[in-house]
Amino acid sequence: MKQFLVLIICLYSNGLLAQSIKGQFLQLANQLIKLDGFNGFKAYAISSTSADEKGNFTLNYSGADYGVAYLMASDNKPLFVILSGENIELKGEALSYNETIQTIKGVENQAFAIYAKAHAKREQALSAWLYLQKMYTTDSLFLNQIKAKQAIVAEKKRILAEDDAFIKQLPQDSYVRWYLPMRGLISSAAMIAQYRPEEVDATIQSFRNIDYADSRLYKSGLFKDAIENHILLIENSGRPLEQVYREMEISIDAMLAFLLKDDKKLNEASDFLFGFLESRSLFQVSEYFALKLLNEKNCTLETTLARQLESYRAMKMSNIAPEILFDKNKFSNTSQSLEKLSDIKSAFTLLVFGASWCPKCSEELPELAKRYAQWKEKGVELVFIALEEDKPSFENFTKAFPFVSYSDFKKWDSQMVSDYYVFATPTMFLLDQNRKIILRPNSIGHIDTWINALN
């Protein structure tokens, strides 16, 4: 009996004892019901079951799933729930009919449901008051209506205070007390950047105060949005570009201060953030982030991420790009006589790494071919390095291209791929006549903008 009690205590302390979600939804009879949770950037399956002929179902979750999750039926419209160690009971017509859903059991989920309904109405009211406030402060018809303007400000404050009071009355250790203001902060970023510039500085600071290694954030489904919206708020803050870069660097320092406590989250967040910064053409900030991490001795970086970071040090703008030696038998046009990359005498060379099997390359390489003549007139040569494995695929893909196309048929094992730290296709570098890297374009539009600025 003693051993049995010890086992129960161990199971409980490790979060292995399951709690349940019971539902009764009349329109979900005999449908498959899934419960999915979040780990960082990814959703994962917790459990699934089929509802009976009356729409009753039971799903289980454990301590490892604590956070935010969602129920999903065949219509693929999620109903979000809080998994905080309590048994939950829900009743309604369908998961997507929020107005019919009652939370019969589960204190945290009851609070979540009450807040969600009231908050939606408060947000609508706030939007209306914001619209009126703008009208009364910019339109000459209303500028002199002092009492009305004061009333608008007072009502906005009352609504916000009511919202805040609801959260503050929740237990200090409840997940929903942490989650609601976090969700509010993250979702408000776009509106603040566009309509409430006076709140931008304070909101950026609030983002910097987020603990990005907090397991509650990691399990909330907000991990990606917290990082994205943090950067987007700064990018759209109306500041000069150099100040935007500096603010982003400060924010990266703040994020790292928390993430360095957890190597797993650090690697995941860094991998995502690099891709996001590059997609926004924020290469100066990417480089800052890379060098910051490479110089950090208190973390362990995964091999692929570490090599990607190293690419920023080795292939940063102003560095000299590696020489490429060509085999004249491996050009798509056998009359090509280049022996090495430095033989090209154009003022600029756009080096493009891609492949026939890359969907984006199949879209972008023909577009590059259309622009080639125009760019060449402005002193830009183009060299396509194809990551292929066989000659027929290479020749079939490149036969219509007017620019230099080359492959050593070693795909990712090519020395060129290694030398240029290529991790994805397409990858592009714009070099000057001395092979100095002057741009790392992320799109055709990015190249177009740069080339058009030459005149």
Side-chain angles (χ1 to χ4, degrees):
M1 182 66 179
K2 183 177 179 181
Q3 289 178 327
F4 178 75
L5 288 173
V6 170
L7 176 60
I8 291 294
I9 291 169
C10 289
L11 288 172
Y12 183 82
S13 64
N14 286 296
L16 298 178
L17 288 180
Q19 286 79 39
S20 67
I21 300 177
K22 292 184 178 180
Q24 183 183 20
F25 291 85
L26 299 175
Q27 295 186 24
L28 302 185
N30 302 312
Q31 287 192 33
L32 177 67
I33 313 297
K34 299 186 294 183
L35 177 66
D36 290 353
F38 296 99
N39 277 330
F41 301 103
K42 299 178 181 178
Y44 71 99
I46 296 175
S47 60
S48 63
T49 190
S50 292
D52 66 17
E53 65 277 3
K54 293 183 179 180
N56 296 303
F57 63 85
T58 300
L59 293 161
N60 294 323
Y61 72 95
S62 73
D65 305 311
Y66 287 7
V68 175
Y70 58 94
L71 292 162
M72 188 94 78
S74 60
D75 62 2
N76 290 324
K77 294 181 179 178
L79 173 68
F80 288 90
V81 291
I82 304 293
L83 306 184
S84 59
E86 62 183 8
N87 291 317
I88 304 164
E89 191 172 334
L90 306 167
K91 186 177 181 179
E93 293 181 20
L95 297 175
S96 55
Y97 296 170
N98 286 322
E99 65 277 6
T100 72
I101 297 173
Q102 302 174 54
T103 307
I104 308 299
K105 187 176 182 180
V107 174
E108 292 236 41
N109 283 276
Q110 288 170 340
F112 181 54
I114 291 168
Y115 179 84
K117 289 177 182 178
H119 183 71
K121 293 177 182 178
R122 292 189 193 108
E123 283 292 298
Q124 290 175 345
L126 275 174
S127 296
W129 287 116
L130 281 168
Y131 174 79
L132 287 172
Q133 186 176 37
K134 185 176 181 180
M135 182 183 293
Y136 273 74
T137 53
T138 60
D139 194 316
S140 58
L141 283 173
F142 306 104
L143 284 175
N144 295 326
Q145 302 302 313
I146 305 301
K147 288 184 178 180
K149 286 193 283 187
Q150 290 173 341
I152 291 170
V153 171
E155 180 59 8
K156 281 176 56 187
K157 286 182 178 179
R158 187 198 68 77
I159 292 171
L160 291 171
E162 189 176 85
D163 205 71
D164 190 50
F166 180 89
I167 293 170
K168 286 183 176 177
Q169 57 85 32
L170 296 171
Q172 285 280 354
D173 60 348
S174 78
Y175 186 90
V176 76
R177 177 173 174 143
W178 171 87
Y179 176 75
L180 292 175
M182 182 62 64
R183 187 182 68 168
L185 168 66
I186 293 167
S187 64
S188 70
M191 182 172 286
I192 287 170
Q194 189 170 0
Y195 299 112
R196 288 142 57 186
E198 70 280 1
E199 297 178 35
V200 165
D201 287 346
T203 307
I204 290 173
Q205 189 56 52
S206 294
F207 271 102
R208 288 172 181 165
N209 291 337
I210 294 174
D211 182 351
Y212 289 85
D214 191 330
S215 60
R216 294 174 299 182
L217 179 63
Y218 192 74
K219 300 289 292 184
S220 69
L222 299 174
F223 196 52
K224 173 177 177 287
D225 292 337
I227 296 172
E228 268 191 6
N229 289 8
H230 187 164
I231 297 300
L232 288 172
L233 177 61
I234 299 172
E235 185 180 12
N236 297 306
S237 62
R239 293 172 164 88
L241 190 58
E242 283 306 313
Q243 189 179 350
V244 165
Y245 290 157
R246 179 58 191 142
E247 292 294 332
M248 286 185 182
E249 289 169 2
I250 294 170
S251 286
I252 282 171
D253 289 347
M255 282 190 267
L256 282 178
F258 293 109
L259 287 167
L260 286 168
K261 299 182 292 186
D262 188 320
D263 281 349
K264 181 177 185 295
K265 295 184 181 75
L266 172 69
N267 279 273
E268 288 183 30
S270 298
D271 187 53
F272 170 78
L273 183 53
F274 277 115
F276 184 67
L277 291 171
E278 287 194 331
S279 74
R280 311 295 298 178
S281 300
L282 296 166
F283 297 109
Q284 180 174 319
V285 185
S286 297
E287 183 177 311
Y288 175 85
F289 192 14
L291 296 178
K292 182 90 178 175
L293 271 179
L294 286 170
N295 292 326
E296 180 57 58
K297 294 180 171 55
N298 296 319
C299 65
T300 302
L301 300 176
E302 294 174 1
T303 303
T304 301
L305 175 60
R307 185 162 169 76
Q308 283 180 304
L309 298 179
E310 186 58 43
S311 73
Y312 279 88
R313 182 153 57 192
M315 302 301 293
K316 69 180 181 179
M317 286 187 284
S318 80
N319 279 13
I320 302 300
E323 180 67 278
I324 297 178
L325 302 178
F326 297 115
D327 180 337
K328 66 180 181 179
N329 297 315
K330 294 179 179 178
F331 290 100
S332 60
N333 182 343
T334 54
S335 65
Q336 186 58 247
S337 60
L338 281 178
E339 293 185 1
K340 55 186 183 296
L341 185 64
S342 55
D343 285 344
I344 297 173
K345 301 306 178 186
S346 297
F348 307 101
T349 299
L350 178 64
L351 195 60
V352 181
F353 290 85
S356 62
W357 43 262
C358 160
K360 192 172 181 182
C361 299
S362 296
E363 295 174 8
E364 292 200 348
L365 265 299
E367 291 299 318
L368 290 173
K370 291 177 186 177
R371 289 166 169 78
Y372 176 65
Q374 177 188 350
W375 289 355
K376 191 172 177 66
E377 286 181 2
K378 295 188 176 183
V380 181
E381 185 55 84
L382 197 156
V383 176
F384 175 50
I385 305 296
L387 279 63
E388 304 291 345
E389 291 181 302
D390 63 86
K391 196 168 185 177
S393 297
F394 169 58
E395 292 182 342
N396 185 58
F397 184 57
T398 60
K399 61 186 177 183
F401 296 161
F403 42 75
V404 175
S405 298
Y406 181 84
S407 180
D408 61 9
F409 309 112
K410 295 179 181 178
K411 205 173 179 180
W412 294 108
D413 294 327
S414 169
Q415 188 62 47
M416 295 176 290
V417 168
S418 177
D419 288 346
Y420 276 77
Y421 292 84
V422 176
F423 295 94
T425 54
T427 292
M428 298 181 278
F429 298 93
L430 186 64
L431 316 177
D432 72 4
Q433 197 169 14
N434 299 312
R435 300 202 320 278
K436 184 171 76 172
I437 301 169
I438 53 177
L439 190 69
R440 294 183 60 169
N442 72 322
S443 67
I444 293 175
H446 192 192
I447 306 164
D448 258 334
T449 300
W450 188 91
I451 291 175
N452 290 335
L454 287 175
N455 293 340

